[in-house]
Amino acid sequence: MAFVERVFSGVQPTGNLHLGNYLGAIVNFVKLQQTHNCLYCVVDMHALTQPVSVWGGPLELARNTREVTAAFIASGIDPKKHIVFNQSQVSGHAELAWIFNCVARVGWLNRMTQFKEKAGKDRENASVGLYDYPVLMAADILLYRATHVPVGEDQKQHLELSRDIAQKFNNDFGDSIRSHGFNSGLFFPQPEPLITGPATRVMSLRDGTKKMSKSDSSDNSRINLTDDADTIAQKIRKAKTDPEPLPSEEKGLETRPEADNLVGIFAALSGRTKSEVLGEFGGGQFSNFKNSLVELCVAKLSPIASEMKRLVADPRHVDSILVDGADRAREIAADTMKATQDIVGFVRKH
Ligand code: TYM
């Protein structure tokens, strides 16, 4: 059976939405609207997996949920043509996650590098939710039987787990799936990660070997989507570089992580390739290149920041977008949940 193509992706409302989130994910969300039916989700249930000190408590969670929604819309996502909502409003995410908890294996979760990174040394003290994070993520995607998932490079392993869960569910329940009219024996598709563009892994401005991250204690390590022009300029001018001039060819970036990162950011923001960027700036000093990068960043990000500001000033409007999106998401989710319950053997009202 050919699955209807559908896009799903999510962003956590944990504050400090940054250039990595924008270039690695949101820019691709915007593009995919032209070719696919898309669902874009603010994954508030995932935010809870970290200690309260990280996600900031109830008021911050609500504020950040609205801010991510505002970022989606300010970046060009159309919540009327597509679906924008927050995860906790659709109960199917948690319900399907439970069933997937019983499909996924402990050994699979033990291999997840993001859990190891986030739990750190004190693994005993990590929440069960953090360990289970990738299973909820599989439920997010498969609740809509989504076929394509635009994400940054760091989510690749989680997407592989989603594919494994889909496959094992289809295998474990194959006969039941067929007897419920899915003659191919495939109920869930294996979602394909879409990791595209020159900035699938944007690095910290202070250390080119570390990912740009919401939780880095140094605000200078990232460009936030809410930063004003002066802050952007200051952060880029302070960004770590090396003493050599920029290389003329992409190969020359291989051993120079900071240069590679800045050129990648420039390429992604200008819709060019890294070699095209080096064609213009190769052989020159960083100071000149950084001035152009500041200009480009400010030109691209300032309109988004001001539209975000306008939107978050009207929380009732933002909430109405999320409520409307959740109503439409719930309809798709209900079909999947009913069929899943039948396939598993849960008795329900018909
Ligand atoms: P989150 O909120 O951490 O990140 C949101 C998106 O931004 C991408 N990203 C980056 N891309 C490039 N460079 C970076 N430095 C960078 N940092 C983050 C992430 O890859 C992601 O695409 N687990 C997801 C949220 C999620 C989800 C889902 C995604 C929950 N359920 C279902 C897809 C499908 C996450 O880490 O979000």
Side-chain angles (χ1 to χ4, degrees):
M1 171 184 140
F3 289 95
V4 181
E5 289 206 352
R6 184 177 280 147
V7 164
F8 180 96
S9 197
V11 174
Q12 293 193 70
T14 38
N16 298 333
L17 211 56
H18 55 69
L19 189 62
N21 300 129
Y22 180 67
L23 294 177
I26 299 175
V27 164
N28 294 325
F29 297 0
V30 173
K31 275 194 204 134
L32 285 161
Q33 295 183 108
Q34 288 165 18
T35 48
H36 289 75
N37 286 321
C38 306
L39 293 112
Y40 295 126
C41 185
V42 187
V43 289
D44 46 7
M45 288 157 66
H46 274 109
L48 260 57
T49 60
Q50 304 244 51
V52 183
S53 58
V54 174
W55 55 270
L59 293 178
E60 272 295 286
L61 183 65
R63 200 189 72 79
N64 287 327
T65 298
R66 294 181 182 116
E67 189 173 278
V68 174
T69 310
F72 284 172
I73 291 160
S75 303
I77 290 170
D78 182 343
K80 291 211 169 76
K81 289 207 182 107
H82 299 272
I83 296 180
V84 172
F85 71 109
N86 57 315
Q87 184 186 31
S88 60
Q89 287 203 74
V90 181
S91 60
H93 291 257
E95 292 168 20
L96 190 58
W98 181 258
I99 295 172
F100 286 170
N101 275 334
C102 304
V103 173
R105 307 286 92 182
V106 169
W108 299 357
L109 291 184
N110 284 344
R111 286 196 283 276
M112 294 295 115
T113 54
Q114 192 157 313
F115 172 74
K116 291 178 198 167
E117 279 163 28
K118 286 200 172 154
K121 287 201 185 88
D122 194 6
R123 212 177 282 185
E124 292 283 305
N125 200 31
S127 75
V128 177
L130 186 67
Y131 184 69
D132 203 32
Y133 181 113
V135 176
L136 179 59
M137 197 168 145
D140 295 340
I141 299 164
L142 295 171
L143 184 58
Y144 306 97
R145 300 209 286 162
T147 52
H148 294 84
V149 185
V151 281
E153 173 74 35
D154 61 343
Q155 295 304 307
K156 197 169 173 218
Q157 194 186 33
H158 287 161
L159 259 293
E160 279 159 14
L161 188 94
S162 298
R163 294 167 65 86
D164 289 343
I165 290 176
Q167 190 174 28
K168 187 163 189 300
F169 182 95
N170 289 341
N171 283 344
D172 288 356
F173 295 100
D175 291 341
S176 182
I177 289 171
R178 272 183 214 92
S179 76
H180 283 92
F182 299 92
N183 297 333
S184 65
L186 302 176
F187 180 63
F188 288 115
Q190 280 188 272
E192 226 178 274
L194 299 174
I195 303 173
T196 52
T200 55
R201 189 173 175 81
V202 177
M203 308 308 277
S204 156
L205 299 181
R206 308 299 301 158
D207 176 353
T209 62
K210 257 174 57 185
K211 194 177 69 171
M212 185 178 284
S213 141
K214 292 170 183 163
S215 56
D216 196 313
S217 57
S218 161
D219 199 53
N220 282 328
S221 70
R222 64 181 162 260
I223 293 173
N224 300 309
L225 290 188
T226 49
D227 282 345
D228 60 25
D230 287 345
T231 313
I232 293 175
Q234 213 182 51
K235 286 179 177 177
I236 291 178
R237 296 217 168 92
K238 276 196 191 153
K240 188 176 167 196
T241 47
D242 56 45
E244 302 295 315
L246 278 163
S248 312
E249 286 178 15
E250 214 179 320
K251 222 164 77 66
L253 292 172
E254 274 168 17
T255 52
R256 301 173 62 187
E258 284 84 15
D260 186 28
N261 189 38
L262 294 181
V263 171
I265 291 172
F266 197 109
L269 283 172
S270 60
R272 292 195 270 172
T273 62
K274 286 187 195 175
S275 347
E276 284 166 350
V277 174
L278 291 176
E280 185 179 342
F281 294 97
Q285 293 303 322
F286 271 106
S287 52
N288 185 28
F289 171 70
K290 279 185 170 181
N291 285 338
S292 300
L293 183 57
V294 168
E295 254 177 52
L296 177 63
C297 255
V298 170
K300 293 284 173 183
L301 299 184
S302 289
I304 297 176
S306 52
E307 181 63 3
M308 279 173 73
K309 217 176 194 176
R310 194 184 70 78
L311 286 162
V312 294
D314 188 356
R316 286 230 304 239
H317 173 61
V318 175
D319 293 4
S320 73
I321 290 170
L322 292 173
V323 168
D324 171 65
D327 286 343
R328 289 186 285 138
R330 223 177 275 117
E331 281 181 27
I332 307 172
D335 287 342
T336 308
M337 278 321 294
K338 281 183 203 152
T340 306
Q341 285 157 353
D342 292 343
I343 288 165
V344 170
F346 289 166
V347 174
R348 66 177 180 91
K349 183 177 167 198
H350 275 269

